[in-house]
Amino acid sequence: MRSKLAAGNWKMNGTRAALDELGAMAEAAGGAAEVLICPPATLVAEAATKADGVMIGGQDCHAEAKGAHTGDIAADMLKDAGASHVILGHSERREDHGESDEDVRAKCRAAWDAGLVAVLCCGESLAQREAQNTLDIIGGQLAGSIPDGATGHNLVVAYEPIWAIGTGKVPTTDQIGDVHDFIRARLERRFGEGVGRSVRILYGGSVKPSNAAEIFAVSNVDGALVGGASLKATDFVPIIDALNASAE
Ligand code: PEP
């Protein structure tokens, strides 16, 4: 059985005071669902010492292990700071920094070399969905971004429709289910049934306390990658609770 995962992406939000939120999140973390918070890189080390029971991740890493890359962070540095996971290929990185599938694939290899779990994001734009290209886009991103050697221990896939991120718009549960079933089938086809079934697939895009339970009831949804609603424990704890309840 795959365990559930509630992951928070704090993006470029939070100074040290924000870490006070971790206490209540840690209290909610004792149930069936694992809890992961990915704060800004400046907070990873301190978060890792404070967050008993909450795993800490980075939001990106460089594809190389070290070198002349001003402003970048190597996977091994995140690991050394106490991170266990790293988000890769988020649509904001793909858009803001022009990251290609090939770039994401190289970063994923670097993350694995450092012993980090990659939380690999994929998702279609509104135009792509309206043109009925969603599954082609997702299939291409999975094929291009995931290196050979994926396992349920080193990879989590996050399906995040770009048009649902930070907009309050959420796909129907049927739309979410169709994409998650497709991702599962693609993982099984490429990596074999055992591995394909063991990789967790998260949904991301405007998950809130009010819609979490119905999203978690969809087949092949193993949890969520949450942006805005992961910043405050008052929002994120009910989402963790809903995920715990879905595992019962
Ligand atoms: C995200 O950016 O990963 C995300 C899912 O954001 P939000 O929950 O705010 O839509």
Side-chain angles (χ1 to χ4, degrees), residues 88-188:
L88 295 174
H90 192 283
S91 59
E92 288 156 12
R93 300 270 336 159
R94 291 179 188 260
E95 278 177 17
D96 296 355
H97 300 270
E99 288 187 7
S100 65
D101 288 336
E102 207 172 70
D103 295 330
V104 177
R105 190 183 183 102
K107 288 176 179 218
C108 193
R109 271 201 208 94
W112 290 351
D113 286 347
L116 295 175
V117 180
V119 180
L120 198 131
C121 302
C122 59
E124 81 286 3
S125 67
L126 189 57
Q128 289 164 337
R129 175 160 283 275
E130 285 174 349
Q132 305 196 336
N133 284 334
T134 298
L135 297 184
D136 282 347
I137 295 296
I138 303 296
Q141 289 173 337
L142 295 176
S145 303
I146 305 175
D148 291 338
T151 71
H153 299 293
N154 65 18
L155 179 70
V156 173
V157 173
Y159 167 54
E160 299 206 305
I162 298 169
W163 51 275
I165 293 178
T167 59
K169 292 184 192 145
V170 181
T172 64
T173 49
D174 281 351
Q175 287 173 323
I176 294 173
D178 286 349
V179 177
H180 280 239
D181 290 351
F182 173 80
I183 293 172
R184 177 75 59 218
R186 281 298 161 101
L187 292 171
E188 286 181 13

Side-chain angles (χ1 to χ4, degrees), residues 9 11 90 92 160 164-166 204-207 225-228:
N9 173 13
K11 311 191 186 191
H90 192 283
E92 288 156 12
E160 299 206 305
I165 293 178
S206 295
V207 176
L225 179 55
V226 184

Side-chain angles (χ1 to χ4, degrees), residues 4-247:
K4 307 284 181 184
L5 177 62
N9 173 13
W10 284 6
K11 311 191 186 191
M12 198 172 72
N13 295 293
T15 52
R16 294 169 71 202
L19 297 177
D20 290 346
E21 299 294 321
L22 291 178
M25 294 179 189
E27 275 174 35
E34 293 181 331
V35 179
L36 167 70
I37 290 290
C38 300
T42 49
L43 298 179
V44 166
E46 194 170 341
T49 62
K50 279 195 169 163
D52 206 14
V54 174
M55 301 180 293
I56 299 299
Q59 298 175 12
D60 178 50
C61 69
H62 198 277
E64 289 175 31
K66 62 179 177 178
H69 303 291
T70 303
D72 280 318
I73 297 176
D76 194 42
M77 296 170 183
L78 290 172
K79 178 80 177 171
D80 181 58
S84 53
H85 292 64
V86 60
I87 297 171
L88 295 174
H90 192 283
S91 59
E92 288 156 12
R93 300 270 336 159
R94 291 179 188 260
E95 278 177 17
D96 296 355
H97 300 270
E99 288 187 7
S100 65
D101 288 336
E102 207 172 70
D103 295 330
V104 177
R105 190 183 183 102
K107 288 176 179 218
C108 193
R109 271 201 208 94
W112 290 351
D113 286 347
L116 295 175
V117 180
V119 180
L120 198 131
C121 302
C122 59
E124 81 286 3
S125 67
L126 189 57
Q128 289 164 337
R129 175 160 283 275
E130 285 174 349
Q132 305 196 336
N133 284 334
T134 298
L135 297 184
D136 282 347
I137 295 296
I138 303 296
Q141 289 173 337
L142 295 176
S145 303
I146 305 175
D148 291 338
T151 71
H153 299 293
N154 65 18
L155 179 70
V156 173
V157 173
Y159 167 54
E160 299 206 305
I162 298 169
W163 51 275
I165 293 178
T167 59
K169 292 184 192 145
V170 181
T172 64
T173 49
D174 281 351
Q175 287 173 323
I176 294 173
D178 286 349
V179 177
H180 280 239
D181 290 351
F182 173 80
I183 293 172
R184 177 75 59 218
R186 281 298 161 101
L187 292 171
E188 286 181 13
R189 190 175 83 179
R190 178 162 167 209
F191 298 108
E193 258 189 29
V195 168
R197 282 189 191 162
S198 67
V199 174
R200 289 177 288 183
I201 307 173
L202 311 183
Y203 168 76
S206 295
V207 176
K208 299 185 283 269
S210 57
N211 61 18
E214 66 170 341
I215 292 170
F216 295 151
V218 177
S219 84
N220 280 316
V221 172
D222 301 310
L225 179 55
V226 184
S230 70
L231 294 172
K232 294 281 172 211
T234 46
D235 292 323
F236 199 45
V237 167
I239 293 172
I240 298 168
D241 290 345
L243 192 55
N244 280 328
S246 78

